[in-house]
């Protein structure tokens, strides 16, 4: 499968169906993040300690887009956790301790803060581990953002694949498409709205043309087609999205006219 950003699927109808609110702004103001389902599979009565852990977990995750559910499953050897998004299995965890950090991480907190502050988006660059490839892709990203009229409201974050503190975040990113985990290339993820992440540009697809297509999509007038068929997924994040600042993109667009 080619991971060239599929913005052109929407281009023919945006103008005829659009409102004046921009895509990035509309999703920040209106689109509640889709929820993840964390299932605790068990075949015996839930131990008191686990029940207490679950109660604490649910209390701490009220602002996160996740639901926790115990489910009886009689044909398993021992209990375990499974994380689902839109009925698709993302990850499995052997015990409660393995869930540490699943709801939040330093980089997710930073990106959420940037989005709430009115930034157009964050460009997240997931490194491959090949320094030559990583630096080549980063140069393209930096130069393209610097040349963009929206450069002042776009953040660029870099992330090493071996970052233990961000392991859950990395796993979520690599679950956006079924086969991303098997591709060891630099990847560029566009993040906007309430932590909506689009399928990545990768390898030679990280180009000035494709990055500008992505930015063109985020700054386009929103439409029903986009609202109903938005690509990408929401990332699991513990954040209160109730009071975002107005998107700064409107000031820039006004000055460009």
């Amino acid at each position: 499968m080619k991971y060239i950003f599929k913005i052109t699927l929407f281009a023919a109808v945006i103008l005829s169906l659009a409102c004046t609110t921009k895509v990035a702004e509309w999703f920040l103001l209106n689109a509640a993040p889709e929820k993840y389902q964390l299932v605790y599979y068990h075949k015996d009565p839930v131990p008191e300690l686990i029940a207490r852990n679950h109660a604490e977990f649910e209390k701490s995750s009220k602002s996160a887009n996740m639901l926790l559910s115990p489910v009886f499953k009689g044909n398993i050897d021992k209990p375990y956790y499974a994380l689902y998004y839109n009925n698709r299995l993302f990850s499995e965890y052997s015990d409660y301790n393995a869930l540490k950090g699943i709801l939040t991480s330093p980089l997710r907190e930073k990106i959420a803060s940037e989005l709430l502050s009115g930034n157009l988006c964050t460009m997240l660059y997931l490194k491959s581990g090949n320094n030559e490839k990583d630096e080549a892709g980063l140069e393209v990203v930096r130069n393209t953002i610097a040349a963009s009229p929206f450069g002042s409201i776009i953040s660029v974050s870099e992330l090493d694949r071996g970052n233990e503190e961000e392991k859950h975040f990395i796993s979520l990113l690599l679950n956006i498409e079924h086969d991303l985990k098997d591709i060891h290339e630099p990847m560029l993820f566009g993040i906007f709205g309430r932590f909506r992440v689009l399928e990545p540009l990768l390898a030679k697809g990280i180009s000035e043309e494709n990055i500008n297509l992505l930015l063109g999509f985020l700054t386009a007038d929103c439409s029903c087609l986009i609202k109903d068929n938005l690509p990408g997924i929401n990332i699991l994040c513990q954040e209160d999205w109730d009071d975002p600042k107005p998107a700064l993109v409107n000031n820039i667009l006004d000055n460009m006219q």
Side-chain angles (χ1 to χ4, degrees):
M1 175 179 179
K2 294 181 179 179
Y3 287 91
I4 300 300
F5 192 70
K6 300 179 180 67
I7 294 303
T8 52
L9 295 177
F10 301 100
V13 294
I14 285 178
L15 292 179
S16 62
L17 298 176
C19 65
T20 56
T21 305
K22 306 309 174 187
V23 169
E25 181 181 19
W26 192 93
F27 281 94
L28 177 64
L29 296 175
N30 300 291
E34 295 176 331
K35 290 187 178 293
Y36 287 75
Q37 188 78 30
L38 181 64
V39 177
Y40 174 68
Y41 287 113
H42 63 99
K43 65 177 181 178
D44 299 310
V46 178
E48 183 179 346
L49 176 59
I50 296 298
R52 288 202 306 269
N53 287 340
H54 288 178
E56 292 176 3
F57 186 87
E58 290 180 317
K59 183 178 179 180
S60 67
S61 64
K62 285 184 177 180
S63 61
N65 52 325
M66 172 186 275
L67 298 173
L68 171 62
S69 303
V71 172
F72 176 80
K73 191 174 183 179
N75 61 345
I76 59 175
D77 294 328
K78 59 181 181 178
Y80 69 97
Y81 296 86
L83 181 67
Y84 296 90
Y85 181 86
N86 288 338
N87 297 318
R88 180 158 68 91
L89 177 64
F90 267 31
S91 301
E92 294 181 350
Y93 310 91
S94 59
D95 55 38
Y96 185 77
N97 291 331
L99 300 176
K100 183 179 179 181
I102 194 172
L103 296 176
T104 188
S105 61
L107 185 52
R108 276 181 284 178
E109 290 178 3
K110 174 179 178 291
I111 292 171
S113 176
E114 292 167 350
L115 297 174
L116 282 164
S117 296
N119 269 13
L120 173 65
C121 65
T122 290
M123 293 291 191
L124 177 60
Y125 190 82
L126 184 62
K127 296 180 179 180
S128 67
N130 182 311
N131 289 337
E132 184 176 352
K133 287 183 178 181
D134 291 339
E135 287 304 315
L138 267 174
E139 184 176 4
V140 173
V141 174
R142 290 169 181 150
N143 291 342
T144 304
I145 300 305
S148 170
F150 308 108
S152 63
I153 56 172
I154 299 170
S155 300
V156 178
S157 293
E158 303 172 27
L159 180 56
D160 292 322
R161 291 198 187 206
N163 187 319
E164 185 67 18
E165 198 171 26
E166 300 292 342
K167 64 180 181 181
H168 292 296
F169 186 20
I170 294 168
S171 176
L172 294 168
L173 291 170
L174 293 179
N175 269 297
I176 290 178
E177 293 288 338
H178 290 280
D179 56 351
L180 286 181
K181 292 179 180 179
D182 300 322
I183 300 175
H184 301 284
E185 297 286 349
M187 299 182 185
L188 182 66
F189 297 86
I191 305 175
F192 69 103
R194 301 185 185 189
F195 230 122
R196 187 81 184 185
V197 182
L198 298 168
E199 68 177 46
L201 304 176
L202 59 87
K204 293 183 179 180
I206 302 174
S207 66
E208 179 182 358
E209 178 183 5
N210 287 328
I211 294 171
N212 283 325
L213 276 173
L214 190 156
L215 297 180
F217 171 68
L218 295 179
T219 55
D221 293 340
C222 203
S223 73
C224 293
L225 180 71
I226 293 174
K227 295 171 188 176
D228 294 339
N229 298 279
L230 187 67
I233 69 169
N234 282 103
I235 289 294
L236 180 56
C237 179
Q238 185 167 283
E239 188 59 63
D240 183 354
W241 299 99
D242 289 341
D243 190 27
K245 291 183 172 59
L248 301 176
V249 66
N250 301 308
N251 294 333
I252 295 174
L253 288 168
D254 289 343
N255 292 331
M256 291 170 61
Q257 294 177 356

